[in-house]
Amino acid sequence: MKTLFLPFLMILFAATNAFAQEKFEIHSRPSARTGSAQGNNEPLSTGFSGTGANIDVTYHRVNWTVDPNAGSNITGTITTFFKTIQPNVAVISFDLVKQSFQNSVTALYHGINCSVSFPSSGNTDVLTIQLPSVIPVTNTIDSVTISYSGVPIEDGLGGGFVRDSYPDEFGQVQNYITTLSESYEDKNWWPCKADMQDKVDSMDMHITVPWNGADTFWAAGVGVLTDSLITGDWRTYTYKTRYPIASYLVFISAAKFNRYYSSVEVNESNIPVYWYLLGGKQQPYYTAAIAAMEKINPVLQEFSKVVGEYPFKNEKHGFYDGLAGAAGMEHQTFSGMASNALTSLTTLNHELMHQWFGDNVTFATWNDLWLAEGFARYGEILAAELVPSLGYSPFTRRRGRKNAALSLLNTSAWIPDGNIANSGTIWNTSYGSAIYERGCMIVSMLRTMCGDEKFFAALRNYQTQLSGKAATTDTLKRFFNEQLGTDISEFFRDYVGGSGNAATATGGRGNPIYEIKWNSPAENNFLVGVKSQSRTAGSNVSYFNGPVTVRAVQYDPPADTTIVFFDWGNGNLAKAGNGIQAPVSNNLLNYNLSFTPDSLFYDDSARTMSTGSTVLDTTLKGFVWHGTSNSNWFDAANWAACCGVPPAGADVTIASINFPPVLNSSVSVNDITINTGKFIALGENTFTVSGAIKGNGGLAGSPGSNLSITGKAGTLRFVTGIYDDLAIGSLTLGANAAASIATNVFVGSVNVHPLAQLTVLTGVRLTTN
């Protein structure tokens, strides 16, 4: 991979057809405003302030002039194109700080001056524009031009618009301008509709800075640099983006940058990569920063494989130096980095993951900010896992995140309405940590319960179907429900605590403390259940529904395996880790392993937001048939004393037999092991097997019996002679089921789904339907 230093006289990109002329675009797909929230029948917001309730913003053409050496002033002209979403629009409004711009702001509508005003009380930072004529019809495309000038206030996480400085290698002070608008500081420096559900579809930015030859300012912006025009002592840089963007992700920076270029290939697309570093520093600074940033290119390739193609591949990716107020900020296509964070691989990976989670798919309201920060924090772990050459441990990183999440006992990842009032109530409270740490562990638990195939498929669907739009927690839940085929609303309620706007959390505080019981009653056999679940003090959850992770270990010879199950409460457990199987009651799961465990450890891989311990319970024997009293399947006296009659979907073993089991009604199991010389008499009933049939024992059918296979059953063995050579009355194989018949028997009728597979030996007689 070759890195090029861009000299002062940079050759600009040739203008493509998309950028050949300055124009706004109304996308043929639905507007960015029609995000997932609307698809879920959730009301569209108008942003926290309520501005722009009657319009859908489609395009901004922006002209900004800044001079870092002259002070913190910004002069701007914003032409905003919009589509009316209500009839008879006479007034439109935008977010803009009154204190800074009330004496300078003007507006033009079709060349006519408009009356502009700010409220005198309440939220005063709302610019109201009275149009000179009413726009009568809904879906009318129109525009307004706002001009303003002033010194922006500095507040919030990063100040919004900041003039900063640094000493160069000769001790000379170098001034520069930078912006950071999360959460509400976009209005500090430009008039916008601050609503993540109404992203602007496209944007042209013309940034003018002083020009004085070789040692000059350079502007950084969103999207593609398409033009650079020198006029006297000023130079105007034109950036264009054709991807929907939320207002808080818009930025400018003006500094004496050294500029470096690289590229990365993703699915045969060559994506430009730019690094802008503050100029005039000593060479080791640039060497170290470039070495770190180059390591992120392979991560971009790997993220593109698992969570979806890099969402801004037609424009660029990169990092620029000089961010104030935070270590990093995920400005769309070009993340800002504090100078002291440029060599932090975790921070670089964090901001990269934000290009998917936060930028491409944005949270609909600040309540669901964890949808950006939780995934970005998990991206730090995932990057080290996918690209080991980064050199840091994903386990160590995950363990640190788990410990941090568990320390935030009284704060949910979801933020209630009272704490999204301003940046301070988000970032200067425990929510400013919980969105990262608890959010990260929620993502980890989703991956743990789903397994990689289903987890990443859900994320790719989320990114593809919601590209350029906004989401809530309920939106994300929908994608996982669809992938799992199971409703995990209880998990989101208990561990996240809310979705969208609401006053209080329904869960999300505290964590469960488990005691897990287990036993290995026979060689390679493992039983596990929940002995107890308690909750940490102050939790607002009565019982946590979610994944439990344990590791079974054999010491000699060494062997181990991680086991994941989903605790639905009330003794209902389901095998998980590759999707979530149907729950089984009676609080017991049975696993057949390749070794016999000696010990069991609770979540020692730090994958869940819970703590726990394990206890060996030698009374656990599983659902084992002994038939000591009679042949009644449903008589608990015939089963191992620990566990009673197996519930539907349980794993069952037919062991020693005084009386063989005889079904007097239909029964369903998951895996069933029938020991040598043992059998089950099905009677005139349906016996459904969703897992495997193991052991060398058999099934005894009748003309009215039905064996229904819904999984990978393996070899079917039958006991015949009662009805001559009839094995069973009917055999049914569902979709994707598989089985084989290895003995010379007669099957009354066979129903095989087109996607099922039935293998039979020569001599087996079937009547097919």
Side-chain angles (χ1 to χ4, degrees):
M1 186 178 300
K2 187 175 182 181
T3 302
L4 302 176
F5 173 68
L6 297 181
F8 173 73
L9 293 175
M10 176 184 176
I11 299 175
L12 295 171
F13 291 108
T16 65
N17 289 337
F19 297 134
Q21 55 182 326
E22 187 170 275
K23 63 179 181 179
F24 72 95
E25 295 186 358
I26 303 298
H27 292 253
S28 58
R29 60 176 173 74
S31 164
R33 180 175 174 78
T34 57
S36 62
Q38 190 178 49
N40 282 337
N41 296 318
E42 300 169 19
L44 284 167
S45 80
T46 56
F48 186 78
S49 66
T51 59
N54 52 4
I55 61 172
D56 172 11
V57 176
T58 57
Y59 168 78
H60 290 302
R61 183 173 62 248
V62 177
N63 292 274
W64 281 310
T65 299
V66 295
D67 182 353
N69 285 334
S72 300
N73 191 84
I74 184 171
T75 299
T77 299
I78 317 290
T79 298
T80 298
F81 284 79
F82 57 86
K83 178 171 64 176
T84 58
I85 57 175
Q86 295 177 9
N88 301 318
V89 172
V91 174
I92 56 176
S93 58
F94 297 94
D95 296 276
L96 185 66
V97 170
K98 176 180 180 179
Q99 176 183 333
S100 301
F101 303 113
Q102 63 175 325
N103 295 323
S104 67
V105 65
T106 61
L108 289 176
Y109 177 73
H110 295 191
I112 303 173
N113 285 316
C114 303
S115 172
V116 298
S117 63
F118 292 89
S120 58
S121 61
N123 178 16
T124 60
D125 296 333
V126 174
L127 171 65
T128 299
I129 301 172
Q130 181 75 46
L131 300 179
S133 58
V134 173
I135 306 172
V137 180
T138 301
N139 293 325
T140 299
I141 303 296
D142 215 326
S143 67
V144 65
T145 297
I146 301 169
S147 298
Y148 67 107
S149 183
V151 176
I153 64 169
E154 294 185 19
D155 65 0
L157 175 65
F161 181 99
V162 174
R163 178 178 181 252
D164 208 342
S165 64
Y166 64 95
D168 64 17
E169 62 180 323
F170 302 109
Q172 299 296 311
V173 174
Q174 299 294 333
N175 299 310
Y176 68 96
I177 295 291
T178 188
T179 64
L180 195 167
S181 298
E182 189 175 5
S183 294
Y184 296 105
E185 286 67 56
D186 39 13
K187 69 180 184 295
N188 285 19
W189 60 282
W190 72 288
C192 57
K193 180 180 176 182
D195 177 5
M196 284 76 74
Q197 293 183 55
D198 188 7
K199 296 183 178 182
V200 59
D201 289 357
S202 60
M203 189 169 184
D204 291 354
M205 301 168 57
H206 307 277
I207 308 167
T208 300
V209 296
W211 166 260
N212 60 358
D215 183 22
T216 192
F217 288 102
W218 194 276
V222 174
V224 177
L225 177 62
T226 63
D227 196 9
S228 173
L229 178 65
I230 299 172
T231 305
D233 294 332
W234 298 90
R235 186 171 186 175
T236 300
Y237 298 88
T238 298
Y239 285 89
K240 303 194 177 196
T241 182
R242 295 299 179 258
Y243 291 103
I245 184 170
S247 59
Y248 82 94
L249 295 172
V250 174
F251 82 98
I252 61 170
S253 185
K256 294 179 179 179
F257 287 119
N258 287 353
R259 299 163 311 283
Y260 303 85
Y261 168 79
S262 181
S263 64
V264 60
E265 186 170 310
V266 174
N267 295 333
E268 300 183 352
S269 294
N270 197 49
I271 300 170
V273 177
Y274 291 93
W275 305 314
Y276 283 13
L277 302 181
L278 295 176
K281 299 188 176 185
Q282 294 183 350
Q283 186 57 40
Y285 178 84
Y286 303 109
T287 301
I290 292 168
M293 292 185 293
E294 280 186 322
K295 292 181 179 180
I296 307 305
N297 286 356
V299 180
L300 187 150
Q301 292 173 313
E302 294 302 315
F303 281 178
S304 293
K305 294 175 185 176
V306 295
V307 300
E309 195 171 57
Y310 178 67
F312 309 111
K313 67 176 185 177
N314 294 328
E315 294 186 354
K316 71 170 183 279
H317 167 64
F319 301 100
Y320 71 92
D321 192 0
L323 186 72
M329 176 61 205
E330 61 275 16
H331 293 134
Q332 193 159 299
T333 71
F334 210 24
S335 294
M337 300 294 296
S339 295
N340 61 6
L342 280 168
T343 57
S344 169
L345 296 179
T346 54
T347 306
L348 293 168
N349 286 319
H350 183 106
E351 302 310 328
L352 172 62
M353 182 60 100
H354 265 312
Q355 297 299 314
W356 285 266
F357 297 92
D359 293 14
N360 185 42
V361 182
T362 310
F363 41 90
T365 67
W366 293 102
N367 308 80
D368 287 311
L369 179 54
W370 81 271
L371 291 173
E373 299 301 347
F375 276 97
R377 182 69 98 199
Y378 191 77
E380 303 168 19
I381 300 165
L382 184 62
E385 178 185 330
L386 297 177
V387 184
S389 61
L390 289 171
Y392 65 90
S393 164
F395 166 69
T396 301
R397 194 69 185 167
R398 188 169 60 242
R399 181 178 58 189
R401 304 286 60 78
K402 174 172 180 171
N403 290 339
L406 294 176
S407 72
L408 295 160
L409 292 177
N410 297 314
T411 310
S412 60
W414 172 86
I415 308 174
D417 286 350
N419 278 84
I420 64 167
N422 55 62
S423 288
T425 56
I426 297 174
W427 300 106
N428 297 333
T429 67
S430 56
Y431 288 104
S433 297
I435 55 176
Y436 291 88
E437 313 302 356
R438 295 182 72 86
C440 173
M441 293 311 300
I442 291 164
V443 177
S444 177
M445 287 188 286
L446 285 168
R447 185 181 181 187
T448 298
M449 71 176 82
C450 291
D452 281 2
E453 181 179 351
K454 294 182 183 296
F455 173 74
F456 289 121
L459 295 188
R460 286 191 296 271
N461 291 339
Y462 176 80
Q463 287 292 323
T464 301
Q465 295 180 32
L466 300 180
S467 178
K469 298 181 182 179
T472 65
T473 296
D474 282 347
T475 314
L476 180 72
K477 177 182 70 178
R478 173 167 60 84
F479 281 88
F480 277 96
N481 285 350
E482 289 173 355
Q483 193 61 225
L484 289 168
T486 301
D487 186 356
I488 56 172
S489 293
E490 290 88 347
F491 166 78
F492 279 94
R493 177 198 64 204
D494 295 342
Y495 282 98
V496 179
S499 177
N501 290 114
T504 57
T506 58
R509 295 202 296 268
N511 60 270
I513 305 168
Y514 275 102
E515 190 172 19
I516 301 299
K517 59 183 180 179
W518 70 280
N519 191 30
S520 290
E523 184 178 357
N524 297 353
N525 184 230
F526 174 74
L527 303 172
V528 66
V530 174
K531 184 174 183 181
S532 67
Q533 185 202 97
S534 59
R535 273 71 58 198
T536 51
S539 174
N540 60 347
V541 178
S542 59
Y543 194 95
F544 281 88
N545 293 256
V548 175
T549 301
V550 293
R551 185 169 64 97
V553 175
Q554 174 183 277
Y555 294 119
D556 189 18
D560 72 294
T561 188
T562 296
I563 292 169
V564 181
F565 63 88
F566 195 99
D567 180 9
W568 290 101
N570 297 316
N572 295 302
L573 307 178
K575 294 181 178 179
N578 183 21
I580 301 175
Q581 297 184 16
V584 176
S585 59
N586 285 29
N587 191 28
L588 193 66
L589 293 174
N590 188 325
Y591 292 85
N592 293 304
L593 306 179
S594 60
F595 62 92
T596 302
D598 297 311
S599 295
L600 189 71
F601 297 92
Y602 188 88
D603 194 26
D604 58 352
S605 56
R607 298 181 188 277
T608 68
M609 196 156 55
S610 62
T611 61
S613 59
T614 66
V615 57
L616 177 65
D617 184 349
T618 57
T619 67
L620 292 179
K621 303 297 182 182
F623 298 110
V624 180
W625 173 273
H626 295 299
T628 54
S629 296
N630 52 57
S631 293
N632 184 357
W633 178 279
F634 297 100
D635 186 344
N638 292 313
W639 295 91
C642 67
C643 306
V645 178
D651 295 330
V652 172
T653 299
I654 308 302
S656 58
I657 291 182
N658 293 320
F659 296 94
V662 177
L663 304 187
N664 52 23
S665 65
S666 295
V667 166
S668 64
V669 299
N670 183 43
D671 290 346
I672 182 165
T673 301
I674 308 174
N675 288 351
T676 302
K678 311 304 184 290
F679 69 93
I680 302 173
L682 304 187
E684 302 289 311
N685 304 291
T686 296
F687 188 56
T688 301
V689 180
S690 58
I693 300 177
K694 305 173 182 179
N696 293 314
L699 304 168
S702 70
S705 61
N706 175 41
L707 175 61
S708 177
I709 305 297
T710 61
K712 311 298 184 184
T715 301
L716 309 182
R717 294 178 172 85
F718 297 99
V719 176
T720 60
I722 301 175
Y723 300 96
D724 296 323
D725 62 350
L726 176 72
I728 197 164
S730 66
L731 173 64
T732 302
L733 270 70
N736 300 311
S740 62
I741 303 175
T743 54
N744 186 1
V745 295
F746 171 59
V747 178
S749 66
V750 177
N751 297 279
V752 181
H753 190 279
L755 298 178
Q757 181 179 356
L758 177 62
T759 304
V760 297
L761 290 180
T762 302
V764 175
R765 289 168 292 149
L766 308 175
T767 302
T768 58
N769 293 328

